[in-house]
Amino acid sequence: MLFLLIGRELRSHVLTYRFFLGFVLLFVLIVSSAVVLGLNYDSRLDAYFESQIARGEQLKEATDFRRFQWRGAQHEKPPNALSVFTVGFERELSRTVTISQWSEPTFGRSKYANPLYTLFPAPDLLYIVNIVGSLLAVLFAFNTVSGEQEDGTLRLVMANSVPRHLVLLAKWAGGYIALIVPFLVSVLVGLALASVFTSFRLSGAEWTAFLAILGVSALYLSCFYTLALAISVATHRSATSLVLSFLAWVVLVLAIPNIAPIVARSLVPVPSPGAIAGQQEALVRGIWAEIRPKMRQAERSQRGTLRDEARHRIADETKRLMKNYLQKVDSQIDAGVALARLSPSASYVYATASLAGSGLEDFAGLRTYIDRYRVDYMQALRDIGEERNRQLEGVSDSDERDEIRNAPIDPDDLPVFVPDRRPMTEILVSADMDLLLLTVLNAVFFLASYVGFLRYDLMR
């Protein structure tokens, strides 16, 4: 009986223009997005390899070791293959990072940036599911019960002494299958075309993350479908159900996620980057103003020591300043995330971005990795300097000494800048709150539908 009812509901959805237009819309958006972002991934991958070659050439031409220590070198993170479907923070994570011995790491402009994508960013799978998919879920379910009540079909079905819970379960399953099948077909076609026409490939761990992204997307679509079903059960007119469902969609998808950061900025104020830059500049000027009189009075052999002491103080004070600033930023982010989680849309975005390796935790992890890498980088430079000092012992010829001191740096002597992807277990632990919220909301909305349908008045 249940399968017959599901088949009836499925046919009632498939034989409508709504299903056809929804299928075409999802197919065009998802497939074109995968191909366009796949081509963009190709260009970013080429730019990354070119930057690695340029970095090697820069090291070969570095004839002033001390200046190289001061200016440092630029590094980039390899492009993330999953950004073809979920961009997230990939644009921020792909920015160049300048690592030097005497100053804090600084982020520059991404070498992968394309002005066209800045003006007209291609919507990724996350955006399509979050906005278009959730809206289609509402349109598929808003008249599931109220529509049949209006045209009298529901009374005919219930006249056959069919248990109400089976009717409700069939309505949910039939409509959800009609929604999720076009989505999965579109994703699989997009995946196939991106793999054929671009260099996009997924590794073993990335395949697991990709399947998990599809699972979370299905859970998110189910959340809005079940919400619209509950609203349809609570009303007796399709027009009323549509208005209320659309209002709920606007509040949950558009209003709460966009208002939450504004409220968080008011609750947890953070100094602007310009103010922090001003404090850092004042700090540097103050330390050099304090050191310069000592350098004038010191002997020539001691000036280098005083200069190094000033640089160490600047590095320590800057690190302390940035640590306090980042702590305030993290507090503001935590407040914004907590407020945004009032919406399933935010939970879906957070969980999906984390699975793709481009979420908030990944951005924080990159900062931690950069600090760790800088320690290894400075140690490698010290080792190179000490080795050259040992080579200079006993060498009296000035030309030979200059040749040793200014010899090119072998790239193999420096650590490789390759931030690791977080293990899947760690990602799931960090996303457990969002996954739990989506699951609980599905259960709550379905329970509301169930209770409302048991009490539904068929005679109104």
Side-chain angles (χ1 to χ4, degrees):
M1 176 63 73
L2 177 61
F3 292 105
L4 290 176
L5 291 172
I6 292 176
R8 172 186 170 276
E9 292 295 329
L10 187 57
R11 285 191 299 273
S12 68
H13 282 280
V14 171
L15 298 176
T16 61
Y17 284 112
R18 178 174 55 189
F19 174 81
F20 175 75
L21 294 176
F23 198 152
V24 171
L25 181 61
L26 285 177
F27 188 86
V28 171
L29 286 176
I30 293 176
V31 172
S32 60
S33 170
V35 173
V36 170
L37 291 178
L39 294 173
N40 185 36
Y41 174 75
D42 274 353
S43 65
R44 292 189 291 123
L45 199 60
D46 291 341
Y48 172 74
F49 288 130
E50 289 175 3
S51 68
Q52 295 299 99
I53 295 173
R55 178 171 173 267
E57 295 297 326
Q58 179 190 12
L59 292 176
K60 292 178 182 178
E61 296 173 0
T63 57
D64 189 337
F65 182 68
R66 196 171 178 82
R67 186 181 179 189
F68 179 81
Q69 287 177 298
W70 174 258
R71 295 182 61 183
Q74 291 185 336
H75 303 269
E76 297 87 21
K77 184 184 77 67
N80 179 8
L82 283 171
S83 64
V84 171
F85 288 96
T86 302
V87 176
F89 277 101
E90 180 65 12
R91 293 185 181 91
E92 292 296 317
L93 296 172
S94 297
R95 292 166 62 187
T96 58
V97 183
T98 302
I99 306 291
S100 66
Q101 186 168 2
W102 300 113
S103 60
E104 286 295 306
T106 56
F107 285 93
R109 180 177 176 272
S110 173
K111 290 186 177 180
Y112 315 143
N114 185 330
L116 184 62
Y117 291 113
T118 302
L119 289 174
F120 306 102
D124 58 358
L125 181 69
L126 186 152
Y127 178 87
I128 294 170
V129 173
N130 185 34
I131 304 297
V132 180
S134 59
L135 184 57
L136 284 177
V138 168
L139 294 177
F140 269 60
F142 80 93
N143 64 344
T144 302
V145 174
S146 57
E148 290 196 353
Q149 167 66 10
E150 281 184 314
D151 60 24
T153 308
L154 187 60
R155 283 194 293 271
L156 293 176
V157 173
M158 300 307 299
N160 295 317
S161 301
V162 182
R164 289 199 175 197
H165 67 277
L166 287 184
V167 174
L168 181 68
L169 184 59
K171 288 184 174 299
W172 181 90
Y176 183 68
I177 292 172
L179 173 68
I180 203 66
V181 168
F183 166 71
L184 294 177
V185 170
S186 302
V187 171
L188 293 178
V189 173
L191 176 66
L193 292 180
S195 301
V196 170
F197 293 108
T198 71
S199 57
F200 164 76
R201 299 292 184 276
L202 293 178
S203 64
E206 289 168 339
W207 269 112
T208 304
F210 177 74
L211 294 176
I213 288 173
L214 293 185
V216 176
S217 299
L219 187 65
Y220 174 71
L221 293 176
S222 170
C223 186
F224 274 92
Y225 183 86
T226 312
L227 171 61
L229 177 63
I231 294 174
S232 181
V233 170
T235 59
H236 286 77
R237 295 181 59 196
S238 298
T240 305
S241 177
L242 178 60
V243 171
L244 292 178
S245 297
F246 185 70
L247 178 62
W249 179 85
V250 169
V251 171
L252 295 177
V253 176
L254 300 181
I256 293 178
N258 288 289
I259 293 175
I262 299 174
V263 176
R265 290 191 194 103
S266 301
L267 296 177
V268 187
V270 174
S272 67
I276 296 299
Q279 293 179 31
Q280 185 178 5
E281 185 179 346
L283 184 151
V284 172
R285 285 201 306 267
I287 292 177
W288 281 116
E290 181 182 340
I291 291 293
R292 283 194 187 98
K294 297 180 181 179
M295 292 180 64
R296 294 193 192 100
Q297 299 174 3
E299 297 180 2
R300 188 171 184 177
S301 59
Q302 296 177 335
R303 291 176 185 174
T305 303
L306 290 172
R307 193 178 294 110
D308 290 343
E309 178 186 340
R311 289 169 178 167
H312 282 297
R313 283 184 58 190
I314 290 173
D316 292 340
E317 293 296 329
T318 301
K319 185 176 182 180
R320 189 177 298 111
L321 176 67
M322 293 305 299
K323 182 179 179 181
N324 293 334
Y325 170 71
L326 292 175
Q327 285 177 345
K328 293 179 181 179
V329 171
D330 289 339
S331 298
Q332 188 183 84
I333 291 173
D334 291 340
V337 168
L339 291 172
R341 279 194 173 120
L342 295 172
S343 163
S345 173
S347 294
Y348 169 68
V349 170
Y350 296 146
T352 305
S354 294
L355 289 168
S358 55
L360 291 169
E361 296 85 359
D362 300 284
F363 188 72
L366 179 62
R367 288 186 347 216
T368 304
Y369 175 83
I370 289 172
D371 292 336
R372 231 175 26 241
Y373 176 84
R374 182 169 178 258
V375 173
D376 297 336
Y377 178 84
M378 291 190 297
Q379 183 59 50
L381 291 180
R382 283 194 291 269
D383 293 342
I384 294 172
E386 291 173 1
E387 176 61 26
R388 294 187 178 187
N389 289 334
R390 283 194 294 268
Q391 294 176 4
L392 289 171
E393 293 177 1
V395 178
S396 56
D397 185 73
S398 59
D399 292 338
E400 187 177 352
R401 290 178 66 87
D402 289 341
E403 184 179 350
I404 295 174
R405 188 180 292 112
N406 298 324
I409 300 172
D410 187 349
D412 293 335
D413 293 337
L414 297 176
V416 180
F417 186 84
V418 183
D420 297 327
R421 176 181 171 82
R422 291 187 299 155
M424 180 56 66
T425 53
E426 182 180 336
I427 294 174
L428 292 176
V429 168
S430 65
D432 59 354
M433 177 60 71
D434 300 304
L435 297 176
L436 179 62
L437 285 173
L438 290 174
T439 304
V440 169
L441 286 175
N442 267 283
V444 169
F445 293 152
F446 189 81
L447 182 61
S449 303
Y450 177 75
V451 173
F453 194 65
L454 291 181
R455 301 176 179 178
Y456 198 77
D457 186 3
L458 297 175
M459 305 309 295
R460 287 187 59 178

